[in-house]
Amino acid sequence: MKTFPTLLRREWLEGRFTYLAATCGLVFIVCLFGILATLVATLSEGGAVVVIERMDDAGNSQRHEQISDNVAMMADFTSWTNRELEGRLTTMRMTVSSVFHAVYFLVIVFVLLGSVFDQRRDRSVLFWKSMPVSDPATILSKLIVPVWLVSILVVAAITLTWLFLLTLFSAITIASDLGSVTRLWAHSGILNGIASELVGYTIQDLWSLPIFAWLILVSTTVSRLPLVWTVLIPLIPAIGERIVFGSNVISGFVTRHLEFAALPRLLENAERQTSTVRNLGDQLSLLLSTELWLGVFVGSVLLAAAIYCYRRNNEL
């Protein structure tokens, strides 16, 4: 019973630099972009803070500092209704989140592809197989840490970025007397956003299980160029199916499970207005869909094949 937590800890220690570098680096980049966007909006006025000199009746010069008019215009929400304020803050949150979603998926692809392949290449797999742990537990630990546990780190990074941007807007609001900061935070939707992200990642990882399991299977099987084989092996039968039967069952299944089906996102409607299309109700409804559980079944089969290949293939 104690060996599996040890395996999880080992997987975290081996990949922690990658996970922390990706999430912390992205937080820094997005926050820096927010600061730069604020400064760029004020370039024509010489900066975020404008110095104004006024002369009183006695001819004395007085210097005043105030926030740039362009920044004030960007953050002025006094004329917005509560619904408009919530909508614009939601758009900001979802835009930030989508960047993290994409980077998270790319990191997971390369981590899972190298999860066993790298150990086979340097033959450290022989050492780990000599330890008193089962092959299924080893493979599951390589899936659970990057897919489910690291997603908690990603949600924390998203939340930290949201808080920074809201603090930035709050500072502008206070400096320019643009309204109530309490109103800004009350309609920020951060608590609902955190819950939606946590639920979304939990269900999304089930939705994408066949993709993740396929990456691990390739990692335990091929002798070189795992990324090429990851794409090439499903591509050949998908093209053959299209030519022979005129259908796209294989490609459609892969495409659907590559989508961020459970994660909060924005959708542009016919009036070119953005709105969220994934709330908690939509996310939980995916648990009742046949497509999700079909994917879980396919993913389980692929994981079983990965365990078999891991037991048989010791080195490159």
Side-chain angles (χ1 to χ4, degrees), residues 28-43 47-48 71 74 164-165 168-169 172:
F28 175 79
I29 291 173
V30 174
C31 292
L32 181 62
F33 180 81
I35 295 174
L36 292 177
T38 303
L39 294 178
V40 167
T42 63
L43 285 179
V71 176
M74 185 173 61
F164 174 82
L165 293 177
L168 179 63
F169 293 157
I172 297 172

Side-chain angles (χ1 to χ4, degrees), residues 149-313:
L149 297 186
V150 173
S151 63
I152 299 175
L153 177 64
V154 175
V155 174
I158 292 173
T159 304
L160 182 63
T161 306
W162 288 345
L163 292 173
F164 174 82
L165 293 177
L166 272 176
T167 302
L168 179 63
F169 293 157
S170 298
I172 297 172
T173 300
I174 294 173
S176 301
D177 193 20
L178 297 177
S180 172
V181 174
T182 303
R183 178 173 175 246
L184 178 68
W185 284 82
H187 294 87
S188 63
I190 282 206
L191 294 180
N192 288 336
I194 294 173
S196 185
E197 291 289 341
L198 287 172
V199 173
Y201 271 107
T202 301
I203 300 175
Q204 178 65 40
D205 294 335
L206 286 175
W207 179 266
S208 299
L209 183 60
I211 305 299
F212 298 147
W214 170 248
L215 295 171
I216 295 179
L217 177 58
V218 172
S219 183
T220 61
T221 306
V222 302
S223 58
R224 62 181 63 187
L225 301 175
L227 183 59
V228 174
W229 288 109
T230 297
V231 177
L232 190 60
I233 294 176
L235 186 61
I236 294 176
I239 295 176
E241 177 199 1
R242 184 66 178 175
I243 295 174
V244 176
F245 301 104
S247 60
N248 58 353
V249 175
I250 297 175
S251 61
F253 178 84
V254 173
T255 302
R256 287 192 301 274
H257 288 272
L258 282 172
E259 294 177 350
F260 298 145
L263 293 175
R265 54 180 175 163
L266 294 172
L267 182 67
E268 197 172 80
N269 58 26
E271 299 177 354
R272 303 192 67 81
Q273 295 177 343
T274 56
S275 59
T276 54
V277 297
R278 282 295 167 207
N279 53 40
L280 287 174
D282 294 332
Q283 292 170 319
L284 293 175
S285 67
L286 285 177
L287 292 174
L288 303 177
S289 68
T290 304
E291 183 72 23
L292 182 142
W293 294 108
L294 176 61
V296 170
F297 172 76
V298 173
S300 300
V301 173
L302 294 175
L303 280 177
I307 292 170
Y308 171 79
C309 293
Y310 178 77
R311 183 180 298 118
R312 182 174 58 87
N313 299 332

